[in-house]
Amino acid sequence: MPKRGRRCWRRGVTINALPILRPGDPGRAQGGLEALYEQRIIGGMGAFVVTAESRASFAEAVKRKLVLEISGALPGAPHLAQAQKE
């Protein structure tokens, strides 16, 4: 993580990410882009990655990311996982 990112985290800034995947990308099988974002981009309290699986799912991914950021809920939290099933 660049020094700038670490300084931001110490000041209480959270950096989340929204990678957009391409169909047929060989890196998808290993979760390459998401892993890279988790290792090098996101940070801070409750930081997370929401992935758009394609251009078609981009709008829904942006909506989900904004809802999570505004609500303070974390992806994968039990109440959130249940809501996604409904």
Side-chain angles (χ1 to χ4, degrees), residues 4-79:
R4 268 181 274 137
R6 290 191 298 269
R7 282 195 307 253
C8 288
W9 300 342
R10 284 194 295 268
R11 292 180 180 161
V13 174
T14 299
I15 301 169
N16 299 316
L18 178 69
I20 305 166
L21 302 180
R22 296 179 315 177
D25 183 352
R28 293 186 78 170
Q30 294 83 29
L33 187 57
E34 293 103 322
L36 183 65
Y37 274 55
E38 289 173 4
Q39 294 166 5
R40 297 187 177 187
I41 295 174
I42 69 167
M45 182 72 81
F48 61 87
V49 173
V50 173
T51 301
E53 297 293 328
S54 66
R55 287 182 186 199
S57 65
F58 178 73
E60 187 60 35
V62 169
K63 178 181 170 184
R64 181 166 184 259
K65 181 177 177 283
L66 288 172
V67 167
L68 291 169
E69 289 172 334
I70 292 168
S71 70
L74 298 175
H79 65 281

